[in-house]
Amino acid sequence: DLGNVPDRELVDNIMQVIEGLVHVALEATITEASDEQLAEIRKLVRPLCEEDLDQEAHGIASFALMQGIMTSNSNLVSQLIARGLMLRLGPKLLPLHEHSSIDIAAHRVYAQQLDTALARRDMTGIRGVFSAFFKLNREALKRAYAAYEAAQASNGQEVAAR
């Protein structure tokens, strides 16, 4: 029992749906965006390329990028679904936050690749980078669940020993 934390398989499924929605949004963005709009999205990628990014700053920069991508196109349906999923899921995952650790170095490499792919409007490259981003995030979430469950079990044993 994970209390108020959603089932890890459900969360993984939701992350897969969000990934699909991001791909749809990216395709619409790449085909619809002016050079100026694309430059604005690339500005959102650049903080993820910084060497001295910590976990919190990385989370903020990643969220800003996702928000920028999801709102930069005319596909209102994908925007509404992704926003609804993220708003409902995010708060329920807060207990996992202290057990979560993102591979910032790998994200930095992918962010640099994303910037290049965006500059070229290379949809195949963009899709590949976002798939890699989501894979890393899903793996980090699995580790966070395992650490959370271990901490919960440890806390339960401490209470039982009292």
Side-chain angles (χ1 to χ4, degrees), residues 80-144:
L80 292 172
I81 293 170
R83 185 178 194 290
L85 287 172
M86 287 190 273
L87 286 175
R88 291 188 61 117
L89 184 62
K92 292 183 183 259
L93 295 178
L94 284 177
L96 298 176
H97 183 72
E98 68 183 78
H99 304 285
S100 175
S101 178
I102 300 294
D103 184 347
I104 294 175
H107 271 252
R108 183 172 34 265
V109 170
Y110 292 140
Q112 292 162 347
Q113 292 172 0
L114 178 60
D115 188 48
T116 300
L118 284 168
R120 295 179 181 159
R121 293 182 184 254
D122 173 9
M123 198 60 226
T124 302
I126 293 167
R127 272 194 216 106
V129 170
F130 264 93
S131 291
F133 270 136
F134 274 96
K135 182 179 179 191
L136 276 177
N137 290 339
R138 288 173 61 206
E139 289 169 357
L141 190 59
K142 286 177 186 177
R143 289 190 305 274

Side-chain angles (χ1 to χ4, degrees), residues 49-105:
C49 298
E50 294 177 10
E51 293 281 333
D52 60 347
L53 210 60
D54 63 18
Q55 293 285 323
E56 184 176 351
H58 179 273
I60 292 167
S62 292
F63 185 79
L65 174 60
M66 292 293 289
Q67 189 174 20
I69 289 168
M70 294 309 295
T71 59
S72 65
N73 66 81
S74 63
N75 192 326
L76 184 59
V77 174
S78 69
Q79 290 177 29
L80 292 172
I81 293 170
R83 185 178 194 290
L85 287 172
M86 287 190 273
L87 286 175
R88 291 188 61 117
L89 184 62
K92 292 183 183 259
L93 295 178
L94 284 177
L96 298 176
H97 183 72
E98 68 183 78
H99 304 285
S100 175
S101 178
I102 300 294
D103 184 347
I104 294 175

